[in-house]
Structure formats: structure tokens, C-alpha cells
Amino acid sequence: MAREYLKKADKTAMTDASDVRETVQNILNDIEAGGDAAAMKYAQKFDNYQGNVILGEEEIAAASVLVSQKLKDDIAFAHDNVRRFAETQKSTMTDVELEVVPGLIAGQKAIPCRAAGCYVPGGRYSHIASAIMTVTTAKVAGCQHIVACSPPRAGEGIAPAIIYAANLCGADKILSMGGVQGVAAMTFGLFGLPKADILVGPGNQFVAEAKRILFGRVGIDMIAGPTDSLILADKGADPFIVATDLVGQAEHGYNSPVWLVTDDRPLAEKVMEIVPGLIEDLPELNRDNARAAWRDYAEVILCADREEMAATSDDYAPEHLTVQAEDLDWWLERLQCYGSLFLGEETTVAFGDKASGTNHVLPTSQSAKYTGGLSVHKYMKIVTWQRATREGSKPVAEATARISRLEGMEGHARTADARLRKYFPEENFDLSAMD
């Protein structure tokens, strides 16, 4: 059967996407021209903050005192998991070399970016985990300088737990500045910071647009839209657990899509019955976000079988993908488009978001069709090199000269000709493009 929508969304994640490009471009232009003073102007306007922009050791220590030992232990646990997973990822990137032809060796080398700028959201929610995810991976990658940037709250500054986590995970500087002005400060190297080679981390639509505009002059992890999550569940799934997981992700924001894909109608109907009550039981801000997300963006899709379920999931290419179904190995092998995969009821998106070790900065808005999430690899450049003996360069020079002439690139051809004449003056070579 064709997919049947038991609940169809009225909107998509991009429906309410504001046209913020002109606003963001104007701010970036102003800050690039005006430097520190212009950035501070926007910090006072948008953050209502007039404290130190670069936190000193005393401020970091004072913030750390405000963090309970229980939370410090949890942050340390999460940091250790993320660090060890990132180290394992890094171990898969090795320097290699190959003797392409006798006497000519080509190689690959992995080099970390020098300076990383890590944006840590701090508006609606204090994203402690984002500090852990972004700073830790940059540190493991070997970045020489890491800035953690987070928006301060009026009269308070950055949340103490974010400061503590960023410092623990290895940030060299902590920048108390949010939004476009924070992104600009890291990109342009304001307040004595080195210019960032790469910007990473989630943020609102203004942060995302700033990264989009700046991409090219600085690297970015990805262009992210609202977070999204999909659950694949069969008749053996627990409807209460499925509903709880959907609501847990819908609280992110009013435009955060959540989707249930199943081949069991009774399960789908039970989940739809349970969800509203779970939403109403949330605190006010979370409730308002989840209620709007469920009403306007959520979908419940009934499929004929697990193959159609998997195909549907690949079409949606969710940021987070949960499987609560039999034969988890089949799903692991079959599924192709997702940011991060959570197999079985015993794991959940929140584990990955906070503490299990995989990174929570992931591709949204179907970009999982072509990219993965933030990892230690994002901070690394794979570069190539080569060296050759004169004898080893000989066949390559001959082929290069002929291919270049066929392309019409005579200057290229002559760089090969010159070497052949110098290294092998007694030999004659046919370097013409045609027979």
C-alpha cells in the first residue's frame, strides 16, 4: 500500500523561516568595518550585556563555584565519553603514502584547523552539552586555539555551567557574546582572538544565516535548520516510550518536526492518543514549544512493511533516527540517510544529545542525505603531497605534456617538457597531443 498519513503536517521546518539574510548581512558588514566597538554595540543591543567580553580566570573560577558537584560529575562523565569517542574517530584518519609508479610517491596527511570557533546556544535553554560536544572534538582534533562563544543573559552573563564545561573541555578563550555579533567576532578575529578557520555549533536562524553568509571565508560544520526526529516502530514497540521520545524532541522549538513511521495502526493510534497528555504535563516553555511542534509539524505515517518504513525514513533523512522494532541489525544495515541512529528502546536521542559520546551537532532539513554530523573529522583537513626521483617523474611528465596539449594548456605542457629535457638530455620524446 502507499504511505497513509494518520497525521499530516500543515507546515515544514522551512515554512516559517524568516528572511533574515539582509539583516544579518548588514550586521556583519557593520562589525567588519567597525571592529570591536561595533560588536560591542550589538552586544549591548541584543544581549543587554556590558560585562567583560573575554572571560578571565577569576570569572571562570567564580562560575565554577556556582556549579554543583553533582553537575560537575555529570559534565565530566559526558566529556569523557565524547572525548574517547572522538579519539576513536581520529584514529581512523591515518597518514598514508603510495608509490604510484616506481620512483614517484604520493601521500595523504591529516592536519587540524588552527583556530576553531564553537558557538554554544544559551537563550531559551542553557546548552551545556553543546559546549562539551564542540569544544571536546576540537581539542581532540588538535586545534591550536579554541574559542567557546555563548550569549550572556542580561545582568547575569553566560550560564555558569556552560562556562565550567567549556573550560573543562579545553576552550582557550570564552567569549561572552551571542548571535551574529558572536559569530562575527570569531570570524573577524576581534577582541584579540585569532581569526577562526572553522565555525561550529548550533544556533538560531540568525546564527545559521551568519554562518551561511560567511562560509567560504571561514569553514563551517553545516547550515542547520530546526532540529528534527523520526521514530521507526513496529507492533512490538511500547507506545508510551514512543510517545515520550516524540515529545522529548518536540520541546526543542515550535518548528521542530517529529515523525512516527510504523506498520502497525493500533500502535500509531495509541501514540497519538498519549502524546497530548504528555505535552500538557511539561513546564510552560517546553509545553508551548511541544504543543506547537506537534500541532503544526508532526506526522504519523502508516506503511505496509518494514521496507516501506525504511524507504520513507530515507526520504525524510532525519537528523535523529530512532528504531524501536525487531531485528535491529537489519535496520542498521538497511538505513542510509540519517544524522545519528538510535537502535532499540534502551537508547534514545536524549542520550546522544547529552552524554553517550556521539556528537549532537547533526544535519537537519534533509541534509543527512549528503553529510554526517560534527565529528573530529570536521576539524581536520585531508591534504596530499608527492615527491619523485627523476626516473620516477619521467612517465608522469610524458603523460602530463600530452594531456596538457590536448587540453590546449601549453604552459602546463612546457613545465613537463623542461624537466624531461633537463633530466634526460640524450632522449627524444613524442610530446605532441596527436598521433
Side-chain angles (χ1 to χ4, degrees):
M1 69 177 189
R3 300 170 190 168
E4 180 182 349
Y5 287 82
L6 303 185
K7 184 182 186 310
K8 178 69 173 171
D10 295 324
K11 301 178 180 180
T12 70
M14 303 311 294
T15 299
D16 293 328
S18 301
D19 184 9
V20 299
R21 183 176 181 85
E22 184 176 356
T23 298
V24 172
Q25 185 68 70
N26 289 338
I27 295 172
L28 290 173
N29 291 344
D30 197 12
I31 294 175
E32 185 169 20
D36 294 5
M40 286 301 301
K41 177 187 71 175
Y42 286 105
Q44 292 169 15
K45 177 179 179 180
F46 295 126
D47 298 332
N48 193 21
Y49 178 72
Q50 300 183 37
N52 287 337
V53 177
I54 303 294
L55 301 189
E57 292 182 7
E58 292 183 2
E59 291 164 300
I60 295 172
S64 299
V65 170
L66 300 176
V67 180
S68 71
Q69 188 58 50
K70 182 184 293 186
L71 182 53
K72 287 179 178 177
D73 292 343
D74 288 337
I75 290 172
F77 172 78
H79 169 244
D80 185 60
N81 290 343
V82 173
R83 176 187 56 78
R84 289 185 295 111
F85 190 79
E87 287 173 346
T88 301
Q89 287 181 317
K90 188 178 181 182
S91 70
T92 68
M93 300 181 69
T94 58
D95 295 349
V96 299
E97 59 181 62
L98 169 70
E99 191 168 24
V100 180
V101 296
L104 190 148
I105 299 171
Q108 166 184 293
K109 184 175 176 63
I111 303 175
C113 294
R114 297 166 302 171
C118 303
Y119 191 89
V120 182
R124 279 181 305 208
Y125 307 115
S126 296
H127 284 259
I128 301 165
S130 287
I132 299 171
M133 302 289 172
T134 58
V135 176
T136 302
T137 46
K139 191 72 174 178
V140 171
C143 296
Q144 297 170 19
H145 194 279
I146 303 167
V147 176
C149 169
S150 191
R153 293 177 176 174
E156 299 177 19
I158 300 175
I162 290 179
I163 296 173
Y164 176 80
N167 185 62
L168 174 72
C169 295
D172 295 289
K173 295 291 181 181
I174 299 176
L175 176 64
S176 185
M177 187 170 283
V180 178
Q181 60 272 20
V183 172
M186 293 188 289
T187 302
F188 303 145
L190 305 183
F191 307 109
L193 300 173
K195 291 182 179 180
D197 295 323
I198 186 169
L199 298 172
V200 303
N204 63 19
Q205 67 267 37
F206 292 94
V207 170
E209 184 60 30
K211 289 167 67 178
R212 184 198 306 270
I213 291 172
L214 292 167
F215 176 56
R217 63 190 300 177
V218 65
I220 63 172
D221 48 359
M222 65 197 73
I223 299 169
T227 188
D228 59 67
S229 297
L230 188 148
I231 297 178
L232 293 163
D234 64 12
K235 64 181 180 180
D238 182 334
F240 180 79
I241 294 294
V242 172
T244 300
D245 286 356
L246 290 169
V247 172
Q249 288 303 296
E251 77 171 352
H252 269 287
Y254 74 92
N255 59 349
S256 295
V258 292
W259 306 294
L260 170 61
V261 178
T262 181
D263 58 358
D264 188 69
R265 186 181 296 271
L267 173 76
E269 293 174 343
K270 187 62 176 177
V271 169
M272 290 193 297
E273 176 188 327
I274 294 171
V275 164
L278 295 178
I279 290 174
E280 295 308 311
D281 194 44
L282 291 171
E284 181 178 4
L285 173 62
N286 314 61
R287 180 174 66 243
D288 291 345
N289 284 333
R291 185 189 292 152
W294 178 255
R295 180 188 66 232
D296 297 332
Y297 295 87
E299 294 184 336
V300 178
I301 305 169
L302 187 63
C303 295
D305 51 35
R306 69 179 186 179
E307 176 56 41
E308 188 174 60
M309 290 167 62
T312 300
S313 176
D314 282 345
D315 286 346
Y316 276 65
E319 176 187 11
H320 309 100
L321 177 56
T322 299
V323 178
Q324 294 181 19
E326 293 181 353
D327 197 0
L328 296 179
D329 288 340
W330 182 87
W331 293 98
L332 178 60
E333 181 65 24
R334 167 62 182 81
L335 294 165
Q336 296 178 306
C337 301
Y338 53 83
S340 193
L341 179 61
F342 302 83
L343 293 163
E345 179 187 295
E346 293 76 18
T347 188
T348 181
V349 173
F351 290 0
D353 277 351
K354 309 303 177 186
S356 62
T358 57
N359 209 288
H360 80 185
V361 181
L362 298 166
T364 64
S365 305
Q366 296 191 327
S367 56
K369 290 181 177 180
Y370 60 83
T371 188
L374 181 64
S375 70
V376 72
H377 306 133
K378 291 282 186 177
Y379 299 93
M380 307 289 288
K381 303 173 292 183
I382 301 299
V383 299
T384 58
W385 57 267
Q386 59 185 268
R387 64 171 50 163
T389 63
R390 293 186 172 186
E391 193 64 39
S393 72
K394 184 178 179 181
V396 179
E398 292 180 84
T400 296
R402 289 190 288 264
I403 291 171
S404 296
R405 287 198 168 90
L406 187 61
E407 294 173 337
M409 303 187 76
E410 184 61 27
H412 281 62
R414 291 179 184 181
T415 64
D417 296 348
R419 284 164 173 77
L420 290 170
R421 284 196 300 269
K422 178 177 180 180
Y423 303 154
F424 308 101
E426 304 302 322
E427 295 189 43
N428 294 315
F429 297 96
D430 179 7
L431 302 178
S432 61
M434 309 300 291
D435 289 336

